[in-house]
Amino acid sequence: IAIEDGCIAGIGEYDGLVNVDMTGRYICPGFIDGHIHIESSMVSPPEFEKAVLPHGTTTVITDPHEIGNVAGCQGVDYMLKATEGLRLDAFFVMPSCVPSTGLDESGAVLGPEDIKPYYENPRVLGLAEVMNSVVAGQEDLMEKLTQAGCRGKVIDGHAPFLGGNELNAYVCSGVWSDHECSDAGEALEKLGRGQWIMIREGSATKNLAALLPLLNEQYHGRCLFACDDRHPADLTGEGHIDAMIRMAIANGPDPGYAYKVASFNAASCYGLRGRGAIAPGYIADFVILDDAENVKIHSVYKNGQRMDKEMLFKWEEAPMDTNLLKKARHTVRLSPVAASD
């Protein structure tokens, strides 16, 4: 495999300026998390990168929904700025429901006009987590759908247990994915309506075991992996998308299906051309494995460069506006806590 300027130049017989012998090992595309809230890792984006890149994750699609609920546009701006220049590629989908519900006492409200300017950013791929309130024709949500749809942006869903004619209406609104399926029957109905299914295995919600029947020849091509929320102990202990691949393979599916769901399918869902495969013209994001069935990682390459620990830990967060940092970081305000409390 020939690598030039961060891309795969060809597959065949080549003699490079640097030759690396990987005889006896396996190569697969870098892993892609189709839906995650980086804030749920409880660390800043550079620290999140240090946790997931060694586990083979080279791209994430993140929804800054949680920091948006606390700090509004300034929270979203912080996440965009804090992910600039990372080796890990972070693409965004804009929060569709800030506040989450009418019962919430959130720190901000993000209306259609607040979200609209972000679509000019090439790293913003679409609208996130559109909930089933769209079926009721909620006015501001319909406007957000129109904004995203008219720009050809991705519209992600969040509709647990939605089915029948309500599901038809939901899909008609432009929502083309769902990460809330908790059993195979629900997922099959949504697949039958043309949706992409995100198989989720996070720290809080775990659906992979229930959705394993999808990882077959007939259905795996419309599935991708997502963590949604992944806490620090799980990231450093169990892993990230690699842990999902490992769990899937251990329960029977063809390993090839699991690796495809972890890479190419996510890239296809989000229109990320040139990612998710080992082929000429693709970005040279790949993982070298000593053992493909147990996902034993030998090394990770991002844009053709090996990501060793020394390189990762040299990186520091880019300087940013002091007010932006303050708005994003100093949000929990409590009186001093005493033992009597």
Side-chain angles (χ1 to χ4, degrees):
I1 299 173
I3 309 296
E4 179 71 20
D5 289 336
C7 290
I8 297 173
I11 298 174
E13 295 295 325
Y14 289 90
D15 186 26
L17 296 174
V18 176
N19 295 294
V20 182
D21 186 359
M22 292 294 181
T23 302
R25 297 189 171 97
Y26 301 83
I27 182 170
C28 67
F31 308 141
I32 301 174
D33 190 330
H35 177 77
I36 193 165
H37 308 282
I38 291 178
E39 308 97 294
S40 294
S41 68
M42 305 180 206
V43 292
S44 67
E47 293 300 319
F48 176 78
E49 175 190 65
K50 291 172 189 175
V52 301
L53 253 179
H55 284 281
T57 302
T58 54
T59 302
V60 298
I61 292 86
T62 182
D63 168 14
H65 167 95
E66 292 167 351
I67 197 168
N69 263 295
V70 173
C73 289
Q74 287 180 295
V76 175
D77 292 343
Y78 166 77
M79 293 303 287
L80 281 164
K81 183 68 178 176
T83 52
E84 276 182 13
L86 291 182
R87 293 172 180 86
L88 175 76
D89 288 327
F91 293 95
F92 285 73
V93 279
M94 289 303 297
S96 65
C97 46
V98 174
S100 298
T101 73
L103 303 174
D104 284 20
E105 295 178 358
S106 66
V109 175
L110 291 182
E113 292 307 308
D114 299 308
I115 290 173
K116 188 176 179 180
Y118 289 97
Y119 290 131
E120 302 305 315
N121 188 316
R123 288 200 291 139
V124 175
L125 304 180
L127 188 65
E129 296 231 35
V130 173
M131 301 197 182
N132 55 359
S133 53
V134 69
V135 178
Q138 186 178 319
E139 192 173 335
D140 68 328
L141 188 51
M142 300 305 288
E143 190 174 343
K144 290 172 186 175
L145 287 164
T146 301
Q147 286 178 354
C150 288
R151 289 168 172 78
K153 297 290 186 177
V154 175
I155 300 174
D156 281 340
H158 173 117
F161 310 118
L162 194 67
N165 288 348
E166 287 191 336
L167 176 60
N168 292 333
Y170 184 68
V171 174
C172 278
S173 74
V175 182
W176 66 1
S177 69
D178 191 272
H179 63 268
E180 290 288 337
C181 293
S182 53
D183 66 65
E186 178 185 0
L188 288 172
E189 183 178 8
K190 289 174 178 175
L191 278 171
R193 301 299 183 272
Q195 287 196 305
W196 287 86
I197 301 301
M198 297 186 189
I199 299 175
R200 174 176 58 183
E201 187 75 8
S203 293
T205 311
K206 302 175 185 293
N207 305 128
L208 178 55
L211 299 180
L212 280 171
L214 303 182
L215 296 182
N216 60 25
E217 184 178 2
Q218 185 174 5
Y219 300 122
H220 83 277
R222 292 287 290 186
C223 298
L224 54 152
F225 285 145
C227 285
D228 203 0
D229 301 295
R230 196 79 166 154
H231 298 164
D234 294 333
L235 284 173
T236 57
E238 297 175 7
H240 190 210
I241 299 299
D242 60 323
M244 297 185 69
I245 302 170
R246 195 175 298 115
M247 180 178 171
I249 293 172
N251 286 279
D254 184 315
Y257 296 159
Y259 281 105
K260 185 181 172 188
V261 168
S263 54
F264 183 76
N265 288 6
S268 299
C269 176
Y270 284 99
L272 295 173
R273 295 180 63 184
R275 294 173 191 270
I278 306 297
Y282 278 71
I283 294 171
D285 293 352
F286 54 86
V287 183
I288 304 293
L289 303 163
D290 286 325
D291 180 344
E293 288 207 2
N294 293 302
V295 201
K296 187 177 179 183
I297 295 174
H298 171 271
S299 50
V300 178
Y301 284 75
K302 182 74 186 73
N303 296 323
Q305 283 192 310
R306 183 167 174 167
M307 295 288 104
D308 56 36
K309 285 187 177 180
E310 183 180 350
M311 182 180 290
L312 284 173
F313 280 82
K314 277 182 181 176
W315 200 95
E316 293 182 2
E317 194 165 0
M320 67 175 72
D321 183 84
T322 306
N323 289 329
L324 197 61
L325 279 173
K326 186 177 180 181
K327 182 71 175 176
R329 290 183 170 175
H330 299 282
T331 59
V332 179
R333 302 181 185 94
L334 294 172
S335 301
V337 178
S340 58
D341 294 324

